[in-house]
Structures are given as structure tokens and as C-alpha cells.
Amino acid sequence: MPGKRARKSAQPSPTRVPADPEAECAIQLRRIGDKLNFRQKLLNLISKLFRSGT
């Protein structure tokens, strides 16, 4: 269409500077722990919903 400009191409995200190994390990362990915690909470909720009697 006349008068419309093409969109600017997306800027590439800046490359992540690797942190020291201890910090990187701590971040990964935290993510794993968060996932496990979420799964446990979800399982507890499902078991409460399907538990008979209460």
C-alpha cells in the first residue's frame, strides 16, 4: 500500500556474557528447584481435588 513503510527488522538480542561457573550452576539449580516445587504443588492440588471424603 502506498504510504506504508516496511517494518524495521528485529534487532538481534545482545549475546549473554557467561557468568562464573558457580553463579551459572546456582541459577540452573534454582530453576530445577522451582520446576520441582511447581510440580509438587500441582500434584498436591490434583490429589486434593480427587480425594474422596473431604
Side-chain angles (χ1 to χ4, degrees):
M1 294 175 77
K4 279 201 167 187
R5 293 188 308 181
R7 289 186 179 183
K8 291 183 181 178
S9 62
Q11 297 281 338
S13 61
T15 56
R16 195 168 148 239
V17 178
D20 58 303
E22 292 86 9
E24 197 65 34
C25 182
I27 291 169
Q28 289 179 3
L29 286 174
R30 176 66 186 257
R31 287 181 184 153
I32 292 169
D34 288 345
K35 287 179 184 177
L36 290 175
N37 187 32
F38 175 74
R39 284 184 185 170
Q40 189 62 48
K41 285 185 177 184
L42 188 62
L43 286 172
N44 288 342
L45 176 66
I46 291 171
S47 66
K48 282 182 183 179
L49 291 173
F50 289 108
R51 190 180 311 149
S52 61
T54 354

